[in-house]
């Protein structure tokens, strides 16, 4: 049965627009309805909407706990005002540029009920009105066409299952050709800006009777598989694996898929690289990125070597000044950094990376070099600043996001045309840096800028696609020093020594009350209850740790009793239960309450913030952890503090937040916490591997508790499966044809 047949109907004129978000289509309006005999508040995807418009709405009456009776809209049809008074009210709303109340009255007086036809088709007539010029008339006419083009798109695309917000976003991207393009090839919905799942676009296409072996369908399937695998870290896929995955997705035989793949490569919509008799298939932007990274690394290493003279003498002087003796590998690392254009420094916890980096920074500064310190996340940058005593920034902030670019794709202020004013860049937590952000950084560096990459090769690779640290280190093009010696003071920590035991394939050693590492056997609901008790009572009472600021639960998985989803529900109820004094919002089934700990789950360069010192800006980044400081139920907004920045989240962005009392180990990369609790029971087999456990263990600074199964820990320790990532960066660096 058609859902509109069972919905209630409300018709009337828009009296007041209370709230409108033209990006998502969400609006709150007051409708003057003769049927209802009073003003009715209607809420839903109505925008763009203006006072004076006539609407036919389908939906249902609901009662909001704060705002009372509202009409919740499921579907909307627009009718242009058809009386002179309604037309005047519409134009007086300011919806069309250059037309204010006085000019609006002159226009309506001149053209009466034909006003809209004149605006739409005869802007030259509109220009004859006092207060209008031909330029103003054309702008008003274009905006009128755009508004009703958007509305037509909303109405038609709604029948295909798209929301108003999606239709608006697509129209903004494609313009007046939107409807024709979707009707000709519904698989464009899989691409920018909506990135529909293939199955959803396929369902729309099948409703249009499109052939299963249509070129557009197979091409969309191939590209969807490649884009989906970016989320698994792969910048490319071997052709045979790509064809096999596309077969499973489309249920089409290999031959037409291979034909489509070859044609798509010939059309340059995909790229191919061949190494070791294997074809690797790329999306163009990732092929270009890896080629550029390889070119810059090779170019940097081939440039005339500018090096600090008498490096050994300078290191000796620094040792004397600080009353320190560097270990042989530390000394080698410092010398390599000073005497090469690019250098990679790796090592686990307690091996002296920070001491080495500090020495490198001081010697460059003594030489008069301008040194920039950067890290991929806010927390990693903050930690780098604390360890070095110098300013450190996220890569995004170093490059400065260009909010004025007017494009959907991320742009930076610093690029090929506006280079950074630094002589040396030291990039920490390099294992977390993905392909696209590293490419952007290289575009902003002077040709001779030295590049020092610091990381831990035993940690998980970046959340984004690529494995930059390993690709560069394994290429042999750039000198690499791996620090291995654990210094005496660090060796006293079971966190440090157990991290190295795990890397070596040995079981971690349990501690006593005086140690910083404990293992507690448990599983299921009792284990979940024990973790909640640790966070809320035991660790705060014993160690004076704050549940919000000091303690972090890190889970191998999202699912199950000991995954992030169920643990967050339990921890939220225990740490921050509902109270009358604590307002809350619900978005997509998740409750966000005043005082909740939350995490940003994707990079978003549009969310505004204010720094404590008063500086305005925008941009929240994947993995940032903060606390909800304010909940405005009426406006459906949250204010969230991330370190020294307070962000304002409107309704469309709130869904990018997750409750973060427990987060996945993957999401914790680059962060450190005073106390870490890791549940190690009921871990899916595919997640039982050494790198994952090691990364979680090395997030703890002062205390680490593993709660779960010793057998699971043993399985993880023994599984040395390096996270496989398809990438040709190493091969590109070594390929002489890419000089």
């Amino acid at each position: 049965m058609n859902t509109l047949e069972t919905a209630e109907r409300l018709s009337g004129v828009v009296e007041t627009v209370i709230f409108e978000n033209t990006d998502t289509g969400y609006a709150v309006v007051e409708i003057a309805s003769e049927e209802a005999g009073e003003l009715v508040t209607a809420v839903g995807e109505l925008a763009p909407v203006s006072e004076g418009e006539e609407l036919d709405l389908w939906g249902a009456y609901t009662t909001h706990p704060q705002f009372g009776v509202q009409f919740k809209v499921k579907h909307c049809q627009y009718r242009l005002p058809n009386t002179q008074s309604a037309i005047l009210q519409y134009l007086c709303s300011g919806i069309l540029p250059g037309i204010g109340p006085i000019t609006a009255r002159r226009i309506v007086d001149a053209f009466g009920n034909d006003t809209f036809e004149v605006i739409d088709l005869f802007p030259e007539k509109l220009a004859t009105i006092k207060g209008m010029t031909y330029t103003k008339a054309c702008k008003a006419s274009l905006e009128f066409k755009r508004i009703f083009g958007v509305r037509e798109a909303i109405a038609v695309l709604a029948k295909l299952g798209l929301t108003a917000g999606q239709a608006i976003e697509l129209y903004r991207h494609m313009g007046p050709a939107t409807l024709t393009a979707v009707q000709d090839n519904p698989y464009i919905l899989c691409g920018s800006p909506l990135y529909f799942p293939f199955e959803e676009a396929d369902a729309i296409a099948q409703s249009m009777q499109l052939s299963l072996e249509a070129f557009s369908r197979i091409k969309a399937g191939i590209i969807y598989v490649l884009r989906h695998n970016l989320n698994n870290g792969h910048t490319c896929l071997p052709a045979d694996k790509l064809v096999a995955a596309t077969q499973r997705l489309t249920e089409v035989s290999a031959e037409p898929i291979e034909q489509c793949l070859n044609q798509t490569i010939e059309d340059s919509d995909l790229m191919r690289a061949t190494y070791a008799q294997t074809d690797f298939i790329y999306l163009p932007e990732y092929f270009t990125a890896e080629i550029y990274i390889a070119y810059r690394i090779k170019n940097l290493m081939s440039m005339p070597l500018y090096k600090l003279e008498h490096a050994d003498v300078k290191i000796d002087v620094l040792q004397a000044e600080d009353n320190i003796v560097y270990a042989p590998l530390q000394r080698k690392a410092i010398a390599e950094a000073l005497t090469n254009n690019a250098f990679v420094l790796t090592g686990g916890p307690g091996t002296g990376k920070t001491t080495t980096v500090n020495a490198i920074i001081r010697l460059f500064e003594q030489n008069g070099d301008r040194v920039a310190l950067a890290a991929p996340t806010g927390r990693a940058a903050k930690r780098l600043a604390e360890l070095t005593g110098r300013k450190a920034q996220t890569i995004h902030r170093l490059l400065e996001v260009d909010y004025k670019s007017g494009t959907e794709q991320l742009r930076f202020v610093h690029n090929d045309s506006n280079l950074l004013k630094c002589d040396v860049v030291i990039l920490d937590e390099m294992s977390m840096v993905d392909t696209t952000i590293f490419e952007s950084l290289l575009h902003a560096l002077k040709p001779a800028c030295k590049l020092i990459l610091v990381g831990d090769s035993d940690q998980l690779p970046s959340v984004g696609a690529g494995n930059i640290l390993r690709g560069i280190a394994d290429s042999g093009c750039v000198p690499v020093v791996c620090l291995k010696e654990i210094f005496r003071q660090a060796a006293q920590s079971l966190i440090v020594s157990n991290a190295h035991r795990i890397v070596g394939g040995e079981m971690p050693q349990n501690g006593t009350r005086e140690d910083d590492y404990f293992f507690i056997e448990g599983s299921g609901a009792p284990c979940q209850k024990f973790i909640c008790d640790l966070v809320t009572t035991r660790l705060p009472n014993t160690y004076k740790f704050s549940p919000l600021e000091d303690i972090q639960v890190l889970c191998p998985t999202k699912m199950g009793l000991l995954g992030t989803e169920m643990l967050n529900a339990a921890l939220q109820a225990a740490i921050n239960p509902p109270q009358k004094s604590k307002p809350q919002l619900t978005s997509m089934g998740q409750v966000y309450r005043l005082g909740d700990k939350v995490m940003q789950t994707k990079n978003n360069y549009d969310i505004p913030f204010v720094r404590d010192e008063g500086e305005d800006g925008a941009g929240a980044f994947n993995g940032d952890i903060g606390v909800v400081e304010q909940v405005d139920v009426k406006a459906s907004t949250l204010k969230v503090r991330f370190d020294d920045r307070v962000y304002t989240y409107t309704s469309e962005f709130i869904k990018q937040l997750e409750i973060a009392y427990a987060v996945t180990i993957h999401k914790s990369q680059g962060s450190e916490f005073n106390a870490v609790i890791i549940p190690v029971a009921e871990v899916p087999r595919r997640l039982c591997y050494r790198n994952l456990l090691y990364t979680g263990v090395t997030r703890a600074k002062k205390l680490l508790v593993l709660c779960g199964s010793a057998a699971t820990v043993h399985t993880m320790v023994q599984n040395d499966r390096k996270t496989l990532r398809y990438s040709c960066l190493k091969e590109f660096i070594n390929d002489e044809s890419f000089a």
Side-chain angles (χ1 to χ4, degrees):
M1 178 182 291
N2 189 323
T3 55
L4 295 185
E5 293 178 4
T6 61
E8 296 183 77
R9 178 174 174 173
L10 173 68
S11 298
V13 178
V14 178
E15 188 74 20
T16 308
V17 178
I18 299 171
F19 173 81
E20 180 180 26
N21 186 314
T22 55
D23 288 332
T24 64
Y26 182 81
V28 180
V29 301
E30 286 186 333
I31 302 290
S33 170
E34 292 185 7
E35 301 165 0
E38 59 182 355
L39 289 178
V40 178
T41 300
V43 300
E45 293 181 332
L46 302 168
V49 64
S50 295
E51 294 164 4
E53 287 192 276
E54 297 183 22
L55 304 181
D56 291 325
L57 307 176
W58 286 264
Y61 285 95
T62 61
T63 302
H64 189 280
Q66 184 172 351
F67 305 118
V69 176
Q70 298 179 332
F71 190 81
K72 192 168 184 179
V73 178
K74 293 181 180 179
H75 181 68
C76 171
Q77 286 185 353
Y78 304 88
R79 289 183 283 123
L80 277 174
N82 58 14
T83 66
Q84 291 191 30
S85 61
I87 293 170
L88 178 62
Q89 184 183 9
Y90 178 82
L91 292 181
C92 286
S93 70
I95 192 170
L96 299 181
I99 300 179
I102 294 175
T103 305
R105 181 167 292 281
R106 290 172 181 161
I107 293 170
V108 175
D109 286 345
F111 303 118
N113 290 340
D114 296 329
T115 294
F116 289 135
E117 182 181 2
V118 170
I119 294 173
D120 185 22
L121 301 175
F122 306 107
E124 67 277 5
K125 291 184 180 180
L126 189 63
T128 63
I129 300 299
K130 184 180 179 181
M132 294 297 291
T133 64
Y134 185 69
T135 299
K136 283 185 178 180
C138 288
K139 286 183 178 178
S141 182
L142 285 173
E143 179 62 11
F144 184 83
K145 288 181 171 70
R146 187 197 67 81
I147 289 170
F148 287 93
V150 170
R151 289 180 178 166
E152 183 186 10
I154 291 172
V156 174
L157 295 176
K159 297 175 183 177
L160 300 179
L162 275 69
T163 65
Q166 289 170 333
I168 291 168
E169 190 173 3
L170 194 62
Y171 191 92
R172 187 184 296 119
H173 182 72
M174 303 187 70
T178 299
L179 291 178
T180 301
V182 173
Q183 288 161 349
D184 287 347
N185 178 14
Y187 293 103
I188 64 171
L189 298 174
C190 294
S192 177
L194 298 182
Y195 296 109
F196 264 36
F198 178 83
E199 292 81 1
E200 291 185 20
D202 201 34
I204 293 171
Q206 296 315 304
S207 71
M208 299 177 178
Q209 310 300 315
L210 196 70
S211 167
L212 292 179
E213 294 196 359
F215 182 87
S216 59
R217 181 175 187 267
I218 297 174
K219 179 180 177 180
I222 292 170
I223 293 175
Y224 181 80
V225 169
L226 283 170
R227 194 164 295 284
H228 175 78
N229 274 278
L230 294 175
N231 298 324
N232 296 327
H234 305 301
T235 57
C236 60
L237 285 179
D240 60 341
K241 292 187 179 295
L242 174 58
V243 169
T246 307
Q247 278 186 268
R248 291 192 294 272
L249 179 68
T250 63
E251 298 181 343
V252 173
S253 63
E255 185 177 352
I257 294 174
E258 290 168 352
Q259 291 173 351
C260 179
L261 176 58
N262 289 331
Q263 183 61 53
T264 306
I265 292 170
E266 188 174 325
D267 294 340
S268 298
D269 289 334
L270 294 176
M271 308 300 287
R272 174 164 44 206
T274 304
Y275 293 103
Q277 298 181 321
T278 299
D279 288 340
F280 294 92
I281 312 301
Y282 279 86
L283 294 165
E285 59 268 33
Y286 281 87
F287 181 83
T288 302
E290 287 201 346
I291 289 290
Y292 181 77
I293 292 168
Y295 161 76
R296 284 300 304 269
I297 293 296
K298 289 194 290 186
N299 191 54
L300 190 60
M301 294 307 295
S302 64
M303 291 186 68
L305 191 61
Y306 150 65
K307 55 184 175 181
L308 273 68
E309 297 294 331
H310 312 297
D312 285 340
V313 174
K314 293 180 183 293
I315 295 171
D316 289 338
V317 171
L318 198 60
Q319 285 187 141
E321 288 176 356
D322 294 345
N323 192 26
I324 188 175
V325 176
Y326 298 116
L329 280 177
Q330 285 182 302
R331 189 179 182 98
K332 179 182 179 183
I334 298 167
E336 292 280 13
L338 300 180
T339 57
N340 286 282
N341 289 334
F343 169 63
V344 174
L345 174 64
T346 69
T351 58
K353 280 206 307 278
T354 299
T355 301
T356 305
V357 169
N358 278 327
I360 292 169
I361 295 170
R362 286 179 59 187
L363 291 175
F364 275 126
E365 289 176 341
Q366 287 176 12
N367 193 58
D369 291 312
R370 294 166 295 182
V371 181
L373 304 182
T377 67
R379 283 180 169 262
K382 182 179 180 182
R383 185 162 62 92
L384 180 60
E386 291 169 350
L387 294 173
T388 61
R390 289 162 176 82
K391 180 182 179 181
Q393 300 170 281
T394 63
I395 303 173
H396 290 84
R397 194 162 189 218
L398 176 68
L399 298 178
E400 298 180 56
V401 176
D402 183 5
Y403 298 104
K404 299 177 182 178
S405 65
T407 65
E408 293 176 353
Q409 291 188 330
L410 174 64
R411 295 286 186 270
F412 291 106
V413 171
H414 292 289
N415 50 42
D416 297 285
S417 303
N418 182 25
L419 302 176
L420 290 165
K421 294 178 174 63
C422 54
D423 306 300
V424 181
V425 168
I426 298 178
L427 190 52
D428 197 18
E429 293 288 357
M430 190 61 205
S431 63
M432 294 177 60
V433 178
D434 65 37
T435 299
T436 54
I437 190 63
F438 192 60
E439 179 198 17
S440 296
L441 176 65
L442 292 180
H443 274 290
L445 297 185
K446 297 185 298 184
C449 181
K450 287 180 176 284
L451 189 61
I452 297 170
L453 310 178
V454 183
D456 184 344
S457 57
D458 290 310
Q459 287 187 19
L460 294 169
S462 59
V463 174
N467 199 346
I468 302 296
L469 179 62
R470 186 172 297 279
I472 293 175
D474 290 351
S475 71
C477 180
V478 176
V480 179
V481 172
C482 179
L483 302 178
K484 297 179 180 178
E485 179 185 349
I486 305 176
F487 288 91
R488 184 182 305 168
Q489 184 176 357
Q492 296 173 1
S493 163
L494 278 183
I495 295 174
V496 172
S497 61
N498 279 335
H500 287 273
R501 288 173 70 89
I502 290 168
V503 167
E506 300 178 48
M507 284 289 286
Q509 176 186 346
N510 209 357
T512 65
R513 290 182 63 86
E514 289 72 36
D515 290 312
D516 57 4
Y517 167 85
F518 302 97
F519 173 79
I520 309 295
E521 189 79 32
S523 63
C527 188
Q528 185 192 88
K529 185 176 184 304
F530 180 72
I531 289 172
C532 290
D533 191 32
L534 282 173
V535 175
T536 58
T537 307
R538 296 194 183 204
L539 299 188
N541 290 346
T542 305
Y543 299 96
K544 309 304 179 188
F545 287 145
S546 162
L548 284 180
E549 297 176 5
D550 297 316
I551 304 171
Q552 186 62 57
V553 179
L554 301 181
C555 303
T557 178
K558 291 183 177 182
M559 309 308 293
L561 280 171
L562 300 178
T564 56
E565 292 182 2
M566 296 191 74
L567 269 172
N568 269 321
L571 287 165
Q572 184 185 41
I575 297 171
N576 193 30
Q579 297 178 18
K580 288 186 178 180
S581 60
K582 289 188 175 183
Q584 63 186 43
L585 286 176
T586 301
S587 175
M588 299 183 72
Q590 176 63 63
V591 173
Y592 301 90
R593 189 172 295 129
L594 181 67
D596 269 336
K597 188 176 186 178
V598 293
M599 172 183 277
Q600 175 71 18
T601 60
K602 63 182 291 187
N603 291 342
N604 186 316
Y605 309 101
D606 297 322
I607 302 177
F609 67 76
V610 177
R611 290 188 182 276
D612 289 344
E613 59 266 29
E615 174 193 356
D616 291 343
F621 302 107
N622 188 7
D624 285 349
I625 295 178
V627 176
V628 177
E629 281 199 342
Q630 183 181 319
V631 179
D632 189 329
V633 177
K634 185 174 182 180
S636 295
T637 61
L638 301 176
K639 289 190 183 295
V640 180
R641 172 173 291 277
F642 296 117
D643 296 322
D644 64 337
R645 309 177 308 282
V646 177
Y647 288 79
T648 299
Y649 281 79
T650 52
S651 55
E652 71 269 28
F653 293 143
I654 290 175
K655 60 187 177 184
Q656 295 176 6
L657 290 172
E658 286 182 353
I659 300 300
Y661 300 104
V663 301
T664 62
I665 294 173
H666 280 88
K667 288 284 190 181
S668 73
Q669 287 176 265
S671 302
E672 278 192 337
F673 310 94
N674 284 332
V676 167
I677 303 167
I678 304 178
V680 283
E682 302 162 20
V683 179
R685 186 75 184 181
R686 61 184 175 81
L687 295 174
C688 284
Y689 56 94
R690 188 183 299 174
N691 301 64
L692 188 68
L693 180 61
Y694 173 79
T695 300
V697 166
T698 54
R699 300 308 91 205
K701 290 199 292 187
K702 296 181 179 179
L703 183 69
L704 173 66
V705 180
L706 265 59
C707 181
S709 161
T712 299
V713 175
H714 182 266
T715 300
M716 297 181 82
V717 168
Q718 292 303 307
N719 184 3
D720 191 24
R721 175 179 68 84
K722 298 291 184 183
T723 305
L724 172 65
R725 293 204 161 184
Y726 290 113
S727 163
C728 293
L729 178 59
K730 171 186 169 183
E731 287 75 16
F732 288 157
I733 293 174
N734 290 319
D735 192 331
E736 295 182 1
S737 64
F738 296 117

